[in-house]
Amino acid sequence: TKTLTISGEGSMGEFFTPNTIPWKEFRSEIVTVVIEEGIVDICDYAFYDCIRLKNITIPSGVTLIRSHAFHNCKSLTTVVLPETVKTIYDHAFEYCPKLESINIPASVTKIGYGVFRFAKEATPVITSASEEYIVDGNCLIEKSTKTVIAGFANSTISTDAELVTAIGRCAFQGCTGLEEITVPSNVKSIGVYLFENCTNLKKATISENTRAISDGVFSGCYNLAEVTLSSTMTRVSKLTFN
């Protein structure tokens, strides 16, 4: 049936590399995953390289999505998270180029680094009811710091200073579907490697209140044809246009 069923009570366990996952030899064959109630977390590397997995619904009771859980799920389009999830760890949905829909439920209090890195051509409908995170212009924003932590090919950075004043490191990294972007005047700082490997990015505008460009912001953007910087720019860091 090409279906992986996970059942039992409690944690899925601890696995420190992708090659220690019990079903590792079937990763390229798995099309459907059924996680039964009673499971409380999605372990590190759980579905790493499950390149045929298309969608998944995670049952109520799961509180943690651990690191690299869905790394390189190339066919993954839809993720439904329950209202019990509290933490999404680093790189959880990294290299998921086809993502179309994912929700950030109200229960989520912490999202790690690089959760959606290398989203490539992904243009998801990302929704949020969380007190800690909001979605605006299809950007995922951490409310406490007013920082965009993830963007996609169809994202627009808010011009509202009450929502956004910074863009975090690697927020658009590897987003190959992105062709044009404007960093508006309410943004005062941008993180390292922000647009690295956005290989189809052709035009970028950095507005006047961003006074410095961090390391590697446009590294690997080999189709970049036009960049507009303001006269108030004071620093362009190493490897910016590498």
Side-chain angles (χ1 to χ4, degrees):
T1 64
K2 310 297 184 184
T3 299
L4 171 66
T5 301
I6 299 171
S7 60
E9 299 288 332
S11 173
M12 285 175 63
E14 291 188 359
F15 302 96
F16 299 106
T17 70
N19 290 328
T20 56
I21 293 293
W23 47 87
K24 62 180 181 181
E25 62 186 287
F26 302 109
R27 283 189 298 227
S28 63
E29 299 179 47
I30 295 167
V31 174
T32 305
V33 170
V34 176
I35 302 172
E36 297 184 350
E37 291 198 12
I39 303 298
V40 299
D41 65 4
I42 307 299
C43 68
D44 294 329
Y45 305 104
F47 310 112
Y48 189 101
D49 281 351
C50 288
I51 58 175
R52 296 179 63 193
L53 178 64
K54 291 185 177 181
N55 54 71
I56 188 163
T57 299
I58 296 170
S60 180
V62 170
T63 61
L64 307 175
I65 311 295
R66 295 194 181 273
S67 177
H68 296 92
F70 294 91
H71 176 99
N72 201 37
C73 288
K74 293 181 178 180
S75 301
L76 188 65
T77 60
T78 305
V79 178
V80 179
L81 301 178
E83 289 292 336
T84 52
V85 170
K86 295 180 179 180
T87 305
I88 303 173
Y89 281 75
D90 297 352
H91 311 296
F93 296 96
E94 188 176 64
Y95 287 95
C96 291
K98 301 294 185 182
L99 197 61
E100 294 176 0
S101 176
I102 186 169
N103 63 308
I104 308 297
S107 53
V108 172
T109 59
K110 180 63 178 176
I111 297 176
Y113 160 68
V115 166
F116 297 106
R117 279 199 327 156
F118 293 95
K120 297 187 177 180
E121 67 266 31
T123 55
V125 175
I126 181 169
T127 56
S128 172
S130 173
E131 293 184 2
E132 306 295 333
Y133 299 91
I134 59 172
V135 175
D136 185 90
N138 215 45
C139 291
L140 182 61
I141 303 164
E142 186 176 58
K143 291 174 71 172
S144 61
T145 62
K146 299 182 181 180
T147 299
V148 173
I149 63 170
F152 304 92
N154 59 342
S155 292
T156 303
I157 300 165
S158 174
T159 59
D160 185 352
E162 292 300 313
L163 290 180
V164 174
T165 59
I167 308 175
R169 58 176 178 161
C170 306
F172 288 86
Q173 187 181 34
C175 188
T176 60
L178 188 67
E179 295 186 4
E180 184 173 335
I181 195 76
T182 295
V183 176
S185 59
N186 49 298
V187 173
K188 296 180 180 180
S189 67
I190 57 178
V192 295
Y193 300 102
L194 176 58
F195 301 112
E196 184 186 38
N197 291 335
C198 290
T199 53
N200 287 306
L201 183 63
K202 298 176 178 66
K203 182 179 180 180
T205 301
I206 311 294
S207 298
E208 64 273 11
N209 285 332
T210 302
R211 303 295 178 88
I213 296 182
S214 302
D215 293 350
V217 165
F218 295 107
S219 178
C221 296
Y222 52 74
N223 278 309
L224 192 63
E226 180 182 341
V227 178
T228 301
L229 307 178
S230 77
S231 60
T232 57
M233 184 69 64
T234 61
R235 180 168 60 88
V236 176
S237 299
K238 62 185 178 182
L239 303 178
T240 293
F241 298 103
N242 185 41

